[in-house]
Amino acid sequence: MRAKREPVDNVAALIDQLAGQLQDWLRSNHISEPVIIGIHTGGIWIAEHLRDKLKIAAPLGHLNIAFYRDDFSQIGMHPHVTPSKLPFEVDGQHIILVDDVLYTGRTIRAAMNEIFDFGRPASICLAVLIDRSGRELPIQAQAVGKTLKLKPEEHVKLSGPEPLALEITANA
Amino acid sequence: MTETDIQLDHKGRLKHFLTTEGLSRQLLTDILDTAASFAEVGGRAVKKVPLLRGKTVINLFFEASTRTRTTFELAAKRLSADVLNLNISTSSTSKGESLQDTLHTLEAMHCDMFIVRHASSGAAHFIAGQVAPGISVINGGDGRNAHPTQALLDMYTIREHKRDFPGLRVAIVGDVAHSRVARSQIHALKTLGVEDLRIVGPKTLIPADITALGVRVFYDLEAGIENADVITMLRLQRERMRSALLPSEHEYFACYGLTEKKLKSARKDVIVMHPGPINRGVEIDTHVADGPHSVILQQVTHGIAIRMAVMAMIMGAATESH
């Protein structure tokens, strides 16, 4: 089986669009000092750019949900897990959670569980570069770079960090 | 099957953890790396990750222990497992129940893992051979044989301070003959690439055949720790006096007690380790135990991360193969 690959839009333009939506969101919710957390690894790359564009002062938070996955019993332990690092108080904070692709929603559920183990945030909003079809949980993003309707056998993958590129692969 | 064979599954992953002997450098490094990622959990508001939620771990201690049992218990709890502490010496065996009956009773409670501490060498291996296929065994110290999680937390501590193992000068000082910690350390240090490994102590407390493990033997403390990067002191078990292997604690301290003066023969940035509990004024002077070179309390903290790593790796492999 050969994988068919096709590139997707200009990632930089999608990030600009995300930043614009987030600015609107922050303004309408009267949030002046949010913190931003990226989910390892693609979410961290996107979050770095968003942090610059939104001029967020607090350092970037890194979240690695490996210890919170709901499929640990199926896939076992991965020996090289970059630890999560949230270099700010989580209590009472308005959090922008960033991932590259929103698919089943399980990663986001795990990420929210992990964030709550660090403290009780005031709010969490979700920003994703790609919102693709296939949701299995009631989770939706507040800011979306691009929405894609994909079949289960199709995958969208972000490579990076330099340059950032999106690619759809499908098992033909 | 030997200890080394029985502790790995068909894919070469940990099924039980009984000894450091015969484990590959890659596997030892994987355990250290996994522990490094768990270390951060101890600094959180909620010191817990849900990895082993719903699993049951039984601390099966046939011999007294404080730090090993409590750090295993904390490690399991930080992985969200349920933990049962059984002190067997004060339990069923005193009512005449056999070890096998005790094991089968515990298996009937649907537990997933035993942490075993026993005064007899080979006890953890024996139990690993007896338990039902779905259950894993971790050796928390058996007789004079092995104490693999202690050795790995020592390796973790060394790596934190010295980065890499080849090129290090490491001295293990004290009662090597009766020490399961020393044995497990020697295997781990050799596998991780330490070439200059020295054993220091009185003749009566050093096994005659120890050089076969690739170590050098010193009977003089200052010569043995000369230019050392790492010194690990072993606890002098007081019962050795009674068996007439040593004249007196006082005399032992005069010859082999680590003092600030003697420590000067080691490197300036030497770290001093001790598996605990320490006998101040017997194998180590109070000023050294509490001094700037001592990493004894860091070892305790690292013990939790190492034990989390070993449990998570074993349970990960076990659930996957079902």
Side-chain angles (χ1 to χ4, degrees):
Chain A
M1 290 228 283
R2 282 268 311 280
K4 184 182 106 203
R5 293 167 182 280
E6 57 175 89
V8 194
D9 309 54
N10 180 327
V11 176
L14 295 183
I15 292 177
D16 280 338
Q17 199 173 316
L18 264 185
Q21 291 177 30
L22 281 171
Q23 254 151 0
D24 293 344
W25 166 270
L26 294 172
R27 202 175 309 121
S28 62
N29 287 278
H30 311 291
I31 297 168
S32 54
E33 282 185 23
V35 297
I36 186 162
I37 296 175
I39 297 175
H40 185 82
T41 47
I44 292 175
W45 300 333
I46 308 292
E48 268 167 356
H49 289 284
L50 289 175
R51 180 173 168 268
D52 287 345
K53 290 186 194 300
L54 298 172
K55 299 190 172 48
I56 294 173
L60 180 69
H62 295 235
L63 209 55
N64 190 327
I65 56 127
F67 302 147
Y68 288 75
R69 295 182 66 101
D70 60 7
D71 53 1
F72 171 69
S73 61
Q74 285 141 47
I75 61 164
M77 186 72 210
H78 190 281
H80 299 280
V81 175
T82 321
S84 294
K85 207 172 105 201
L86 300 186
F88 41 72
E89 280 291 317
V90 166
D91 276 334
Q93 210 77 254
H94 292 281
I95 291 174
I96 302 171
L97 180 61
V98 184
D99 204 0
D100 48 3
V101 180
L102 174 59
Y103 181 18
T104 61
R106 289 174 192 270
T107 299
I108 304 304
R109 184 192 89 109
M112 288 196 288
N113 284 349
E114 179 157 12
I115 289 170
F116 275 78
D117 281 351
F118 284 86
R120 182 181 184 278
S123 71
I124 302 177
C125 78
L126 177 62
V128 296
L129 196 64
I130 298 294
D131 181 348
R132 66 154 293 181
S133 46
R135 203 83 72 252
E136 291 166 3
L137 296 174
I139 283 172
Q140 66 171 28
Q142 280 67 47
V144 176
K146 186 181 175 73
T147 306
L148 290 176
K149 250 191 147 39
L150 295 178
K151 299 191 193 83
E153 65 271 19
E154 291 177 308
H155 295 280
V156 56
K157 196 175 167 358
L158 179 71
S159 59
E162 212 40 70
L164 286 171
L166 272 168
E167 202 178 56
I168 295 175
T169 44
N171 295 323
Chain B
M1 285 215 282
T2 67
E3 278 184 308
T4 309
D5 298 333
I6 198 175
Q7 67 182 349
L8 298 178
D9 69 8
H10 63 284
K11 284 188 185 164
R13 297 169 309 186
L14 279 182
K15 156 86 176 124
H16 306 288
F17 191 36
L18 307 174
T19 176
T20 52
E21 186 176 359
L23 292 182
S24 67
R25 184 189 288 210
Q26 183 59 52
L27 188 55
L28 294 184
T29 307
D30 279 352
I31 298 173
L32 297 180
D33 289 344
T34 306
S37 45
F38 280 123
E40 156 265 332
V41 175
R44 296 188 181 186
V46 177
K47 297 175 183 54
K48 239 185 204 325
V49 293
L51 223 42
L52 298 191
R53 209 161 63 91
K55 304 285 183 194
T56 305
V57 175
I58 300 196
N59 266 330
L60 203 53
F61 277 55
F62 298 88
E63 188 188 72
S65 156
T66 309
R67 104 196 43 218
T68 301
R69 187 186 59 71
T70 48
T71 50
F72 263 116
E73 183 178 349
L74 262 185
K77 286 180 170 171
R78 287 190 182 167
L79 293 169
S80 303
D82 296 310
V83 188
L84 211 62
N85 290 309
L86 284 183
N87 193 343
I88 300 291
S89 55
T90 62
S91 164
S92 322
T93 42
S94 56
K95 295 179 190 159
E97 188 179 56
S98 78
L99 175 60
Q100 262 147 325
D101 283 335
T102 306
L103 286 177
H104 292 146
T105 305
L106 295 171
E107 283 173 9
M109 299 176 192
H110 301 293
C111 60
D112 301 282
M113 179 177 276
F114 289 131
I115 317 295
V116 177
R117 157 75 64 104
H118 202 289
S120 304
S121 301
H125 182 198
F126 173 79
I127 289 172
Q130 297 287 322
V131 292
I135 298 178
S136 294
V137 175
I138 296 181
N139 186 0
D142 63 327
R144 302 177 184 188
N145 181 47
H147 195 350
T149 56
Q150 174 69 44
L152 280 186
L153 74 89
D154 296 331
M155 300 307 115
Y156 186 95
T157 307
I158 294 172
R159 200 175 71 164
E160 284 278 292
H161 288 271
K162 305 292 175 190
R163 305 209 144 267
D164 209 2
F165 292 91
L168 288 184
R169 285 157 292 233
V170 181
I172 302 174
V173 182
D175 184 3
V176 175
H178 301 96
S179 175
R180 53 195 173 210
V181 175
R183 223 166 301 275
S184 286
Q185 283 178 334
I186 292 169
H187 290 301
L189 286 165
K190 292 308 275 185
T191 304
L192 290 169
V194 171
E195 280 161 29
D196 189 348
L197 181 51
R198 310 143 182 199
I199 299 298
V200 188
K203 247 187 186 128
T204 49
L205 296 180
I206 292 189
D209 55 355
I210 193 92
T211 49
L213 297 177
V215 302
R216 289 189 293 155
V217 174
F218 292 80
Y219 301 117
D220 179 78
L221 177 57
E222 273 161 290
I225 63 172
E226 191 178 359
N227 290 322
D229 300 284
V230 177
I231 302 173
T232 172
M233 303 300 297
L234 300 172
R235 188 171 76 91
L236 187 73
Q237 294 165 6
R238 291 219 156 91
E239 47 273 29
R240 308 294 166 230
M241 306 297 166
R242 286 198 292 278
S243 55
L245 288 171
L246 289 172
S248 75
E249 285 181 5
H250 185 74
E251 199 157 323
Y252 183 84
F253 183 70
C255 294
Y256 294 102
L258 188 62
T259 59
E260 285 180 314
K261 183 165 170 279
K262 288 183 183 148
L263 195 55
K264 287 200 165 68
S265 92
R267 281 178 56 98
K268 274 200 177 64
D269 60 352
V270 66
I271 57 167
V272 176
M273 307 200 296
H274 192 303
I278 57 179
N279 294 316
R280 291 169 188 265
V282 181
E283 70 265 356
I284 189 166
D285 185 70
T286 257
H287 296 294
V288 176
D290 303 332
H293 297 286
S294 169
V295 294
I296 296 172
L297 293 177
Q298 293 172 32
Q299 287 174 271
V300 179
T301 308
H302 297 158
I304 300 170
I306 282 289
R307 286 165 180 139
M308 287 172 80
V310 171
M311 284 192 242
M313 287 170 74
I314 287 178
M315 297 282 209
T319 37
E320 185 188 346
S321 55
H322 271 193

